[in-house]
Amino acid sequence: MTSIRELHQQLVNKERSAVEITTEALERINAVDEQVKSFLQVTADHALETAKKVDAKIAKNEEIGLLAGIPIGIKDNMCTTGIKTTCGSQILANFVPPYESTVTQKLKDAGAVMVGKTNLDEFAMGSSTENSGYQVTANPWDLSRVPGGSSGGSAAAVAASECVVSLGSDTGGSIRQPASLCGVVGLKPTYGLVSRYGLVAYASSLDQIGPFARNVEDAAILLGAIAGYDAKDSTSINTPIPDYTQFLKPSLEGLTVGVIDETFGEGLDPVVAKTVQDAIAHLKTLGAKVVNISCPRFRYGLPAYYIIAPSEASSNLARYDAVKYGIREDADTLIDMYTKTRAKGFGNEVKRRIMIGTYTLSAGYYDAYYLKAQKVRTLIKQDFDAGFEKVDVLVCPTSPTTAFKAGEKTSDPLSMYLSDLMTIPVNLAGLPGMSIPCGFDEQNLPIGLQLIGNVLEEGNLFQVAYAYEQSTDWHNQVPPLK
Ligand code: GLN
């Protein structure tokens, strides 16, 4: 499978042009996307135009960056000037942003070739991509199963080789869980490391953009390109961005890894448990010291999240009022116009979250729910802080199960919410988290190992992920897709 570095070498050696590489990606999308349905929109003209510009630079022997000419998919909740951005919602069916998100602007500047906008659960609310207002994405490893969510389109597109890398967003696990279910690398950076400017807001204190890739180095290269201070995002961290590829070393000597005890309890598929334990044992052989860590308040993450995220969502989604953005249902009064438009434009899960969030923020319930959840959030952060006094990286499963069947959990929101049991605490604490492939179950479905780092210590995650990847073969497996 071709990596960013290999493609870059081919480009600078003039063995292949950016137009050829782009055309190959577009042909692959043509061949498989009818089955996988990763893309809501393929931006072929835009992609070929970008590729031509890269080729013109190469022809003039101008220097090009690593991402120049590399096909990339973008989750359709990041604004792209002149290119429709739906957020997976019918309410934004006709929304063409007049401005560019910071991440896509950075990629444009780097010469990366956006091949399309990928499918997602409506407003990034979900764990299976079945809440999309447009289509259901399939898992490339088994088309009857879900790719995970909410960034299921971006994960599936990379797993199915429809693009080299992609961007997703992660509020409670939406990069790591689909990465795990699709057998690719997915990273949620430290809160504030990557600008959220132009990312359609779901829960602003939790949302973070990050990369999907088929190998760790590609993820490190992509993170380096999108990270960095942005005055347009008030939560952006002003810190120097290292070259993340400097952390890609084969040994884990001197590094301490902590296994989170509480994550190996009830609800965890025994095959996932065994596979993740084997992966942890493998880290020892690479030189890591492995200890057990207790995060006793971790299990309150899920209930706290389902107060905080809907509260923020209910406030963020108030802007879809039929006036400023998207579709409009005409009516005789202003209130009727609002309600008719929102009733038609939002799907059931989004409505459910708006109702929960409006309730938890209402006078009389605010203290009992919202404020209480914020206190729980602090306690979870304290558990992590205590853990990172003893270890460099925490590890646990990414998802309690492998990919489930489409339709299996759609009528039971609580069982769907449980998919993110192990990823949510990381968002609540603002920490970086990564999922890497670490094996398969008996049905040949991928299993993910989650690595969690302290604030801004993405480097440690890359080191562990790379050493593990280079000494195993999981990342070389490809889905049985024709
Ligand atoms: N599944 C979680 C939710 O529905 C997380 C989604 C996300 O990270 N965007 O809220």
Side-chain angles (χ1 to χ4, degrees), residues 159-180:
S161 296
E162 295 173 286
C163 49
V164 176
V165 283
S166 64
L167 287 187
S169 65
D170 189 314
T171 306
S174 279
I175 292 175
R176 290 158 288 157
Q177 185 257 14
S180 175

Side-chain angles (χ1 to χ4, degrees), residues 75 124-127 149-150 169-174 202 305-306 353 420:
K75 186 177 182 181
M125 298 174 188
S127 305
S150 64
S169 65
D170 189 314
T171 306
S174 279
Y202 162 17
Y305 174 88
Y306 276 100
R353 308 265 178 128
D420 295 313

Side-chain angles (χ1 to χ4, degrees), residues 296-476:
R297 273 87 55 111
F298 212 89
R299 65 192 167 108
Y300 302 120
L302 194 76
Y305 174 88
Y306 276 100
I307 304 279
I308 294 169
S311 298
E312 293 188 24
S314 74
S315 165
N316 272 328
L317 270 56
R319 74 191 66 179
Y320 305 103
D321 58 0
V323 178
K324 297 188 282 291
Y325 312 86
I327 62 161
R328 173 181 303 169
E329 287 290 291
D330 282 323
D332 293 338
T333 69
L334 183 64
I335 294 291
D336 271 358
M337 182 180 82
Y338 290 163
T339 49
K340 277 191 178 163
T341 302
R342 289 166 68 88
K344 181 165 183 216
F346 288 140
N348 285 344
E349 185 60 29
V350 172
K351 286 177 186 153
R352 181 179 295 125
R353 308 265 178 128
I354 292 174
M355 284 191 277
I356 295 172
T358 310
Y359 180 82
T360 52
L361 290 179
S362 57
Y365 294 106
Y366 180 94
D367 286 3
Y369 292 104
Y370 185 72
L371 202 62
K372 187 75 147 230
Q374 292 291 18
K375 289 179 180 169
V376 171
R377 187 174 187 172
T378 303
L379 295 176
I380 289 171
K381 176 78 170 66
Q382 287 172 358
D383 276 3
F384 279 120
D385 288 346
F388 285 119
E389 275 176 21
K390 302 187 196 107
V391 305
D392 303 297
V393 173
L394 288 165
V395 294
C396 64
T398 306
S399 160
T401 66
T402 53
F404 44 92
K405 291 262 185 199
E408 195 179 315
K409 300 192 181 191
T410 37
S411 57
D412 182 1
L414 284 182
S415 91
M416 188 74 91
Y417 294 174
L418 282 168
S419 294
D420 295 313
L421 192 63
M422 298 165 185
T423 48
I424 277 173
V426 180
N427 299 72
L428 290 171
L431 304 174
M434 189 173 191
S435 182
I436 55 169
C438 73
F440 292 87
D441 71 4
E442 61 283 330
Q443 293 165 96
N444 202 34
L445 298 170
I447 296 171
L449 170 70
Q450 184 175 208
L451 312 170
I452 304 166
N454 208 347
V455 172
L456 293 176
E457 292 190 343
E458 277 77 3
N460 284 340
L461 302 187
F462 282 123
Q463 187 181 347
V464 176
Y466 182 78
Y468 180 82
E469 174 192 78
Q470 292 302 303
S471 56
T472 55
D473 193 37
W474 310 119
H475 65 292
N476 292 320

Side-chain angles (χ1 to χ4, degrees), residues 175-194:
I175 292 175
R176 290 158 288 157
Q177 185 257 14
S180 175
L181 271 47
C182 289
V184 296
V185 176
L187 168 71
K188 180 204 94 74
T190 301
Y191 183 76
L193 182 67
V194 177

Side-chain angles (χ1 to χ4, degrees), residues 246-290:
Q246 83 190 40
F247 298 102
L248 308 179
K249 300 177 206 144
S251 161
L252 299 181
E253 218 63 63
L255 218 85
T256 309
V257 169
V259 184
I260 306 176
D261 276 340
E262 287 78 3
T263 57
F264 286 89
E266 205 191 328
L268 181 64
D269 178 331
V271 180
V272 173
K274 163 91 174 64
T275 307
V276 169
Q277 290 291 9
D278 288 350
I280 294 166
H282 186 85
L283 298 180
K284 263 192 216 168
T285 68
L286 296 169
K289 182 178 166 208
V290 176

